Amino acid sequence: MRLGHIGLNVSEIERSVRFYTEVLGFTLRNLSEEPGRKFALLGDDQKNLVTLWQQSEGSFSPRLPGLHHLAFEVDSVDSIKGYEEKLRANGVPFIYDGMVAHTEGGDSGGIFFEDPDGIRLEIYALLGVGCHAHTATEGKACGFF
């Protein structure tokens, strides 16, 4: 079994599509703007990776059971830095200031931030974070946020 795609409830489909396409670089593969049935399929040139469903109000709550965060893997720390720059230029809220190692002293890690509905997201690389400046989490792992 493999992960197929992630479905996220959003409060404003247009705002979320702009964020995931213009800021994160996903391709819009399909869009329904039918009242009461608004959704968007996002991915790359081969498959859907994220589906956005406009069927919620308010913002994401980390206090309820469900999604903790959604993580996207990139090939290098330089890619993480490129995304970080673009996210900051767009005023995206960050959970930590800068890169965070997955474990204290570890070499994998990334940046943690929120989408327009407050859904927690991560962009990470498997190698290279340990040799770059990064934020300490004062714990065993970055996951307790």
Side-chain angles (χ1 to χ4, degrees), residues 101-118:
H102 285 143
T103 59
E104 298 301 330
D107 201 30
S108 68
I111 54 175
F112 294 80
F113 55 96
E114 295 177 355
D115 85 347
D117 285 295

Side-chain angles (χ1 to χ4, degrees), residues 7-71:
L8 301 174
N9 283 336
V10 300
S11 59
E12 295 178 37
I13 196 76
E14 296 84 6
R15 177 182 70 176
S16 292
V17 166
R18 268 193 316 276
F19 175 80
Y20 282 89
T21 59
E22 295 175 14
V23 179
L24 294 184
F26 285 96
T27 299
L28 178 61
R29 296 175 51 88
N30 191 11
L31 176 67
S32 169
E33 296 183 295
E34 180 184 337
R37 296 183 50 84
K38 292 183 177 185
F39 68 89
L41 304 177
L42 308 171
D44 57 23
D45 60 348
Q46 296 178 16
K47 68 179 197 169
N48 298 327
L49 299 169
V50 176
T51 304
L52 305 174
W53 304 94
Q54 182 176 306
Q55 57 185 16
S56 64
E57 296 177 1
S59 63
F60 177 78
S61 174
R63 296 184 314 196
L64 297 174
L67 180 72
H68 181 273
H69 74 283
L70 178 57

